[in-house]
Amino acid sequence: MLQPYRDVLARPGALAFSSTAVVARLPMSMVGIGIVLLVSAVYDSYGLAGRVSAALVVAQAVCGPQIARLIDRHGQARIMRPAVVVSATSLVALVVAATTQAPAVWLYVTAVLVGATIGSFGSLVRARWNHALGDDPRRVHTAYSLESALDELVFVIGPVAATVLATSVSPVAGLIVPVVAMVVGGLAFLSQRATEPPTAPAHEPRPRGSVLRRPGMVVLLLVFVAIGSIFGATDVATVAFAEESGRKELAGVILAVFALGSLISGLLYGARHWVSPLHRRFAIGVVALAVGVCAFFLAQSLWVLAAVMFVVGFAIAPSIINGNALVAELVPAGRLTEGLTWVGTGVSIGVSIGSSAAGTRIDAAGSHAGYLVVVVSGAAALLATLAALPALRRHAASRTAQAAARSGRDATAVEDEPPSATAGATVAACEIAQESTGRRLGDTGR
């Protein structure tokens, strides 16, 4: 199972840039829950904690694609080195503002500065893999799967570390480690210039408009907004549920179990080379995730919740892997960092919506009201997937036709193994529902 991963990591510089990127990504799993734990402890308000966390991710959502566009044009190191310094300094300022019980406006200001400059190291490392592996789709699939599994490893370690530090050492301790990881991991990653993707030649015209104008990108973005809302609401609701159960220190462990399921599925998924249509596999993962999270609302104990989260977590990594792969197909190679960043942006927008809405509902009616926000977010993800399928199917058909025209033969690949009956039934149900909805409401793909 591990041989495909050994093959891609054997590429010159690959192990170094992939490993340092893991450290650089640690803040993405610690900053959100660290802010919730710190602000809720100092200000005694989950609503405020959720809104401050939401301010950070909204700023990241707005500024991330703009930073990515600059990176594609000027290079990773040139843009991200100063950005890392500003982001780390702003996070320290947020900690100082919270510990001195400064007016809430200063929490928002510093959170916005962090989000505006934090960038997306997940996008940067995937862009490096595309540069290192060229036009080898099988190895790119393996590399993307590896990075998604490492993302989940970060989410296994990060929430636990943030929660233990915040509850056992000091509320501020959960945000000190992300600052160190941001500086050490980020600058170490950016120092590896030999594997940095080349920038667009200076004589080439600058790209006009956003990659969102590419067919299929907007609807794909909507799916990830809904997925992000699931994540944001789950984080805040789980912290509140653990506190109501008298075991607040276990919140990070429960969230880590959620990520552990995704980590395992990501490694298994990446070890196999799939040739069934990418959009179908994407739909299967999102539908499974959207339906599965509805069970969170029914859990009455932390251990039941952990068991459910572990199983549902198996749908996360394949969905993210396939989503990134779809973006790589939809956007030009010279704008890949920008395109991949929009995936993170969609998730960030959703996280801000989910965490803010869940925090407000928790203050009013308790943790299970927060899980109700998760259920609504799951329903939104399901509907967004139905809306996205027509555009993704058309793009897949277009690529197949173009490949067949170039080769003079049918370019449809033969599957390594037939899809399972369950997978086929899931996709068929999804597509039938979409077609039925389309007949009633009109063609949403136009």
Side-chain angles (χ1 to χ4, degrees):
M1 186 188 81
L2 296 179
Q3 188 58 44
Y5 297 108
R6 294 193 188 100
D7 290 342
V8 296
L9 288 172
R11 295 297 178 101
L15 180 59
F17 74 67
S18 182
S19 59
T20 53
V22 173
V23 180
R25 281 177 285 180
L26 195 58
M28 75 182 184
S29 69
M30 298 185 69
V31 170
I33 191 171
I35 289 174
V36 170
L37 291 165
L38 174 60
V39 175
S40 63
V42 175
Y43 293 83
D44 194 27
S45 172
Y46 278 106
L48 176 61
R51 289 190 293 272
V52 172
S53 179
L56 186 151
V57 293
V58 165
Q60 184 178 7
V62 172
C63 298
Q66 312 312 317
I67 291 176
R69 184 178 295 187
L70 291 172
I71 289 170
D72 281 333
R73 191 69 188 180
H74 301 290
Q76 294 182 353
R78 183 176 176 184
I79 300 301
M80 282 304 299
R81 277 176 177 164
V84 166
V85 173
V86 173
S87 188
T89 303
S90 300
L91 188 54
V92 171
L94 189 154
V95 171
V96 172
T99 53
T100 58
Q101 292 188 300
V105 64
W106 291 109
L107 300 179
Y108 292 120
V109 168
T110 52
V112 167
L113 287 174
V114 174
T117 54
I118 198 169
S120 173
F121 278 93
S123 300
L124 300 186
V125 72
R126 286 172 173 86
R128 291 202 182 208
W129 277 119
N130 270 73
H131 173 58
L133 300 174
D135 295 326
D136 189 336
R138 288 196 167 197
R139 286 189 170 87
V140 169
H141 164 75
T142 299
Y144 276 23
S145 300
L146 172 64
E147 295 304 327
S148 290
L150 293 175
D151 282 342
E152 299 310 325
L153 177 63
V154 166
F155 276 96
V156 170
I157 297 171
V160 175
T163 306
V164 170
L165 290 169
T167 56
S168 303
V169 180
S170 167
V172 305
L175 289 175
I176 298 302
V177 172
V179 171
V180 175
M182 192 182 300
V183 174
V184 174
L187 295 182
F189 174 87
L190 296 169
S191 69
Q192 299 171 52
R193 304 300 295 273
T195 55
E196 182 175 339
T199 59
H203 60 80
E204 286 190 1
R206 293 179 182 273
R208 295 181 179 274
S210 169
V211 294
L212 291 181
R213 298 176 64 179
R214 306 288 297 186
M217 278 297 294
V218 170
V219 286
L220 189 62
L221 177 65
L222 293 177
V223 177
F224 280 103
V225 169
I227 291 175
S229 184
I230 291 174
F231 296 159
T234 297
D235 284 352
V236 180
T238 300
V239 173
F241 186 36
E243 183 174 32
E244 290 174 1
S245 302
R247 302 296 301 273
K248 188 175 182 179
E249 72 279 3
L250 291 180
V253 176
I254 303 300
L255 293 172
V257 169
F258 194 22
L260 180 61
S262 182
L263 167 62
I264 294 171
S265 71
L267 290 173
L268 294 174
Y269 186 76
R272 181 183 185 273
H273 295 298
W274 305 81
V275 290
S276 56
L278 183 58
H279 69 276
R280 289 190 177 184
R281 286 181 274 134
F282 179 67
I284 291 170
V286 175
V287 170
L289 177 63
V291 173
V293 296
C294 296
F296 296 174
F297 180 75
L298 304 176
Q300 298 299 315
S301 75
L302 289 175
W303 304 117
V304 171
L305 178 64
V308 173
M309 281 189 166
F310 177 73
V311 175
V312 176
F314 273 72
I316 297 175
S319 300
I320 302 298
I321 293 165
N322 292 328
N324 281 309
L326 284 169
V327 170
E329 290 186 354
L330 291 170
V331 305
R335 303 186 70 179
L336 182 59
T337 304
E338 182 184 351
L340 291 173
T341 299
W342 273 112
V343 173
T345 294
V347 173
S348 295
I349 293 171
V351 167
S352 69
I353 295 170
S355 62
S356 181
T360 300
R361 293 303 305 145
I362 290 166
D363 282 343
S367 63
H368 271 70
Y371 285 122
L372 185 58
V373 176
V374 177
V375 173
V376 173
S377 301
L382 181 58
L383 293 174
T385 302
L386 297 179
L389 276 175
L392 298 178
R393 280 202 303 263
R394 285 196 298 269
H395 179 76
S398 175
R399 283 177 58 88
T400 300
Q402 291 171 6
R406 286 195 301 268
S407 64
R409 58 184 175 79
D410 184 3
T412 303
V414 179
E415 291 188 14
D416 293 336
E417 298 175 20
S420 69
T422 303
T426 303
V427 174
C430 189
E431 294 189 345
I432 290 170
Q434 186 278 323
E435 291 168 1
S436 175
T437 303
R439 287 194 295 271
R440 290 196 302 271
L441 302 181
D443 186 5
T444 59
R446 284 199 297 263

